Amino acid sequence: MATRNSTERVALGDGGDEPSNGRFRLAVAVYAGVLLAGVVSVAAVLTAFVPGPLLAVYAAGFAVGFGGGLALAAADPRLPVRLGRTLGRRAAVVVPTVPFAVVWFAPLEAAVDVVALWAVITVFASGYVLSQLAGNRYVDAVTPGEPAERWRWTPPGSPVVDALIAGMWLVIGIGNAVTGSPAQGLLWLALAVFWVASCLIEGRWSFGPGRDRCEVQLYETGLVKRRPYTKTYVSWSDIDHARLREGELVLDRGLRDVRFDSDELGDPDAVLEAVDRWLETSAER
């Protein structure tokens, strides 16, 4: 059998139009700004060397980081595609939150805790947005043009369960703030906001902007699961077999199978037939 088509042989350009370039550059600049601002602010408080108001130190660090990030993103048009190519690279963007979290958990002064916690929240949030934008840009680069076939898809999720989780964190956050633990209250409130935002971004709720864009798309190079604001790509070369099993459409790909419940797809048999056809075509190349 001939080797299947691989994304390694796909010519990758900068992978996006000017609006998406602008959004990515802004995301890089904000991420670099909050990261540098967090570093210099925590360092200033830990060393008891604060040359002026702490807010001014944070603002100066953010301005320098923002400018540096903007210059880096503008100088390397292939940065979003390279960054979004693998899950490991996208996950690495939020790794800098770990040192800030360690500082926050350490038994230090209250001022250090507040600054470190704020850095955890802002770096994680901006890193999450940046990683999603990079992933989308990579998908755009390896799937040029319009999809050859597409089906409506209903992303799995339960609005009731998600609302209960967000509400629980919201109540805990308000309770902590009222009882004299504003830092912990801020953390729980941030978790609640992030959870609601992720539900809307990933289309887990049956309402919200962009919900009509949720699709399974088939391209010459692979399959795309499109959510309202994010995309997931699976190359045909990564799929070993496709089958219907116990009410699920399963695409076997080692440890990370791709699964769709039958009620997520209007016609899972038609999707399976199309996937099999594209797998055979890819294997013949």
Side-chain angles (χ1 to χ4, degrees):
M1 180 180 292
T3 303
R4 291 181 186 167
N5 198 19
S6 170
T7 58
E8 295 300 324
R9 297 198 295 271
V10 176
L12 300 179
D14 60 9
D17 54 17
E18 191 57 38
S20 60
N21 286 339
R23 287 191 294 269
F24 181 81
R25 291 171 184 172
L26 179 61
V28 172
V30 172
Y31 173 77
V34 297
L35 179 58
L36 183 60
V39 170
V40 297
S41 298
V42 171
V45 177
L46 284 175
T47 59
F49 177 72
V50 183
L54 184 59
L55 184 60
V57 174
Y58 187 92
F62 179 83
V64 173
F66 186 92
L70 202 60
L72 173 63
D76 187 359
R78 288 174 54 86
L79 176 62
V81 174
R82 290 205 304 267
L83 180 61
R85 187 164 200 157
T86 66
L87 177 62
R89 293 178 185 179
R90 297 194 300 273
V93 176
V94 298
V95 169
T97 60
V98 175
F100 293 119
V102 171
V103 172
W104 181 60
F105 279 111
L108 300 172
E109 297 179 0
V112 180
D113 288 346
V114 173
V115 174
L117 177 59
W118 179 249
V120 169
I121 294 172
T122 55
V123 172
F124 182 86
S126 59
Y128 173 80
V129 172
L130 176 59
S131 67
Q132 296 301 324
L133 288 175
N136 289 347
R137 292 289 298 278
Y138 173 72
V139 174
D140 291 340
V142 296
T143 56
E146 292 295 316
E149 300 183 65
R150 64 199 337 161
W151 285 268
R152 290 298 301 272
W153 172 53
T154 303
S158 171
V160 174
V161 173
D162 288 329
L164 287 175
I165 293 174
M168 177 185 66
W169 287 339
L170 180 63
V171 170
I172 294 174
I174 295 174
N176 277 300
V178 170
T179 57
S181 302
Q184 294 185 17
L186 176 61
L187 174 63
W188 289 110
L189 291 175
L191 285 174
V193 171
F194 176 78
W195 188 263
V196 172
S198 66
C199 289
L200 294 174
I201 290 171
E202 297 176 4
R204 298 204 303 268
W205 291 352
S206 58
F207 54 85
R211 172 75 182 198
D212 57 329
R213 294 196 293 266
C214 296
E215 292 181 330
V216 174
Q217 303 173 338
L218 304 187
Y219 291 84
E220 181 181 351
T221 56
L223 175 147
V224 172
K225 288 196 298 184
R226 176 167 182 160
R227 297 175 184 267
Y229 299 102
T230 62
K231 304 175 186 178
T232 303
Y233 172 78
V234 182
S235 170
W236 296 127
S237 63
D238 293 336
I239 301 175
D240 299 320
H241 182 61
R243 55 204 164 95
L244 286 173
R245 185 187 67 185
E246 298 178 357
E248 286 185 323
L249 172 61
V250 182
L251 309 182
D252 295 322
R253 56 179 302 218
L255 297 177
R256 293 191 298 156
D257 292 343
V258 179
R259 299 174 180 270
F260 301 94
D261 286 337
S262 294
D263 57 0
E264 297 174 13
L265 301 168
D267 191 348
D269 292 305
V271 179
L272 175 61
E273 181 181 351
V275 169
D276 281 336
R277 184 169 62 251
W278 280 100
L279 285 173
E280 292 175 2
T281 302
S282 177
E284 292 171 358
R285 293 192 180 95

